[in-house]
């Protein structure tokens, strides 16, 4: 707990300029918080996500702000490790907690109600690499969620926006940060949620999320975001998983733990 | 005598001043080949290929049929060519990465600037930007109502249709739709519009007065990633380019129920309909061809090879 408190103290207040336009005058402020490493790619991704959520929000009377106190926020985005994510889940049972970095399979096995894993698990990465090697025995390509050279499915546009904002190439954890805010704001834009429980329920069961990977993304009951992965070799995209020819290219459940252990 | 003179004058007026004699040609932009394929509307054969510029995508024709416009994405320009002589007449600068656009009955071009979250209104005669309208992220599809008073811009990443009033160029409705809305079209009296959401796999119908969605359906197949959408001449059917489903889907415009899937080439995105409503042309990006559909029987009557990654289609008829 001590370590987590220290992160609160480290937390910075970042306000985003927001100009209302269009038909609506009332602005509904949606408070988000971040716990972890502010020098991380993941944090830049969260900021990019908030900027873009506010472009949508200006048409809907919604404004997204990052605040220091997790207590007053509806969602916590974190770069903490598995042990601390477990603590966060218990400390804030009514908040949505977005895991942006921790790949631990155990975290998925534990099936926390309120933790959403945006970054792929190690098992997903391993399965993707195994599928790839069945087809390409000599390739040592590594699987990851995102790559800065990804162009298809409007990925190129997201990479360009991120690089323009932060003079950085978008990594997989930066994508996870961006995707977390995007799927949260997409959900809030579409529905009037009275409480976090119904928001979480919607995200886990009804979400149709465009993560700029060319296919609609949603969650497993483990809290893991189902998603295709990229196979990277020599800093280039060699392929995508699920690997066509080995499994059905649409079978996202061929990667990682399908569901919570019964 | 007087009547005859008037008739002759009118004939001269219509044929020479207002409407250039149409060529019947079908023009297709080829995103990878940097060309426009010119298809003869009668023989369905490619009769010429125009070198147009790097990564041509959106294509449109002026209301009088005298000029064809092509968005040259990698040059940030629109190229103008003559549909008769096929000569490139000029190019003018537009915003970054121009993609889809539509030509207003008054001659102005409404174009989405995907990189800058704006739609721009450009006078193609002098290249002057008449207006800029801030919209959502990754704006793409543009549709103009039959009376020219409303324009729909779809923003793909913000998941919205923005309804813009003309000539005020103010947004009057922002409508949240399914994930990644790509294209829209109006019905013939402009009271309703239809749009596709690519990642959501949806088609929706919107009441233009209230800005409310009155009907939405899921196409129900994961491969159905709908893009272009057109309404039949009689207003009863919708034609939807089904993406990697490799079909043009025919829907009932009232119920939005699927009537038929017409198998076409691979990854179908672009659609265009002849003025008489009898033919629909689809651009099939991955198979590098154009399918020509007879709308009476809803079957493909010809397939024409074009350049690589055909994208947009316009008919000079």
């Amino acid at each position: 707990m001590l370590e987590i408190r220290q992160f609160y103290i480290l937390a910075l207040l970042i306000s985003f300029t927001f100009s209302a336009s269009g038909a609506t005058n009332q602005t509904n402020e949606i408070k988000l918080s971040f716990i972890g490493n502010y020098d991380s790619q993941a944090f830049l991704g969260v900021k990019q996500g908030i900027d873009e959520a506010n472009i949508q929000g200006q048409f809907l009377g919604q404004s997204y702000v990052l605040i220091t106190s997790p207590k007053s926020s509806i969602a916590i985005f974190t770069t903490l490790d598995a042990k601390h994510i477990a603590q966060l889940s218990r400390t804030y049972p009514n908040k949505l907690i977005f895991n942006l970095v921790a790949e631990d399979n155990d975290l998925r096995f534990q099936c926390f109600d309120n933790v959403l894993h945006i970054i792929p698990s190690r098992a997903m990465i391993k399965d993707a690499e195994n599928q790839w090697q069945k087809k390409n025995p000599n390739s040592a390509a590594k699987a990851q969620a995102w790559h800065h050279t990804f162009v298809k499915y409007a990925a190129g546009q997201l990479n360009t926006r991120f690089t323009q904002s932060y003079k950085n190439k978008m990594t997989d954890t930066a994508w996870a940060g961006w995707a977390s805010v995007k799927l949260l704001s997409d959900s809030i834009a579409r529905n009037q949620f009275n409480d976090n429980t119904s928001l979480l329920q919607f995200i886990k069961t009804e979400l149709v999320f465009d993560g700029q990977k060319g296919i609609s993304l949603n969650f497993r009951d483990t809290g893991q975001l189902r998603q295709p992965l990229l196979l990277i070799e020599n800093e280039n995209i060699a392929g995508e998983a699920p690997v066509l020819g080995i499994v059905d290219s649409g079978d996202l459940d061929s990667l990682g733990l399908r569901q919570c252990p019964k | 005598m007087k009547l005859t003179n008037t008739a002759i004058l009118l004939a001269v007026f219509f044929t020479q001043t207002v409407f250039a004699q149409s060529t019947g040609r079908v023009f297709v932009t080829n995103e990878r080949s940097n060309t426009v394929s010119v298809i003869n509307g009668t023989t369905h054969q490619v009769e010429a290929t125009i070198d147009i510029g790097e990564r041509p995508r959106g294509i449109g024709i002026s209301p009088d049929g005298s000029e064809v416009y092509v968005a040259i994405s990698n040059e940030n320009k629109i190229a103008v060519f003559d549909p008769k002589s096929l000569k490139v007449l000029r190019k003018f600068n537009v915003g970054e990465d121009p993609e889809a656009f539509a030509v207003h009955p008054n001659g102005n071009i409404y174009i989405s600037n995907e990189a800058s979250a704006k739609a721009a209104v450009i006078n193609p005669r002098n290249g002057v930007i008449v207006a800029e309208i801030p919209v959502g992220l990754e704006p793409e599809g543009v549709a103009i109502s039959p009376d020219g008073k409303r324009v729909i811009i779809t923003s793909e990443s913000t998941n919205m249709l923005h309804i813009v009033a003309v000539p005020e160029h103010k947004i009057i409705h922002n409508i949240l739709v399914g994930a990644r809305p790509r294209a829209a079209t109006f019905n013939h009296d402009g009271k309703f519009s239809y749009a596709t959401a690519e990642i959501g796999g949806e088609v929706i119908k919107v009441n233009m007065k209230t800005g409310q969605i009155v009907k939405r359906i899921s196409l129900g197949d994961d491969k159905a990633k709908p893009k272009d959408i057109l309404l039949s001449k009689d207003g009863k059917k919708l034609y939807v380019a089904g993406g990697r489903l490799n079909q043009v889907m025919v829907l009932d415009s009232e119920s939005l129920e699927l009537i038929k899937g017409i198998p076409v080439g691979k990854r179908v995105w672009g659609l265009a309909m002849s003025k008489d409503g009898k033919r629909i042309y689809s651009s099939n990006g991955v198979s590098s061809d154009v399918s020509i559909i007879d709308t009476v029987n809803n079957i493909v009557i010809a397939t024409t090879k074009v350049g690589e990654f055909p994208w947009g289609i316009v008919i000079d008829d």
Side-chain angles (χ1 to χ4, degrees), chain B residues 198-218:
Chain B
E198 186 180 26
I199 296 290
E202 284 180 2
V203 175
I204 59 152
K205 182 179 182 181
V206 173
N207 179 321
M208 289 304 295
K209 197 169 180 188
T210 62
Q212 299 292 313
I213 295 173
V214 291
K215 199 128 210 160
R216 75 194 300 162
I217 56 122
S218 165

Side-chain angles (χ1 to χ4, degrees), chain A residues 64-98:
Chain A
Y64 292 83
V65 291
L66 204 57
I67 60 164
T68 50
S69 162
K71 261 190 203 160
S72 313
S73 70
I74 61 158
I76 302 167
F77 304 90
T78 184
T79 58
L80 295 185
D81 63 15
K83 192 177 101 191
H84 290 101
I85 285 174
Q87 279 183 21
L88 270 183
S89 169
R90 287 188 290 270
T91 311
Y92 298 106
N94 299 319
K95 314 275 180 212
L96 283 72
I97 295 163
F98 288 90

Side-chain angles (χ1 to χ4, degrees), chain A residues 6-27:
Chain A
Q6 283 169 346
F7 280 114
Y8 302 169
I9 297 160
L10 274 172
L12 300 166
L13 179 72
I14 291 146
S15 65
F16 293 85
T17 52
F18 169 73
S19 64
S21 71
T24 172
N25 296 321
Q26 270 192 326
T27 298

Side-chain angles (χ1 to χ4, degrees), chain A residues 137-149:
Chain A
N138 298 322
S139 167
K142 296 287 170 206
Q144 55 192 65
W146 189 257
H147 198 254
H148 64 88
T149 62

Side-chain angles (χ1 to χ4, degrees), chain B residues 94 167 190 290 299:
Chain B
V94 289
V290 167
I299 50 167

Side-chain angles (χ1 to χ4, degrees), chain A residues 152-167:
Chain A
K152 269 202 293 188
Y153 316 122
Q157 273 128 26
L158 176 59
N159 274 320
T160 302
R161 290 200 297 274
F162 183 81
T163 303
Q164 279 174 353
S165 300
Y166 300 109
K167 313 286 171 243

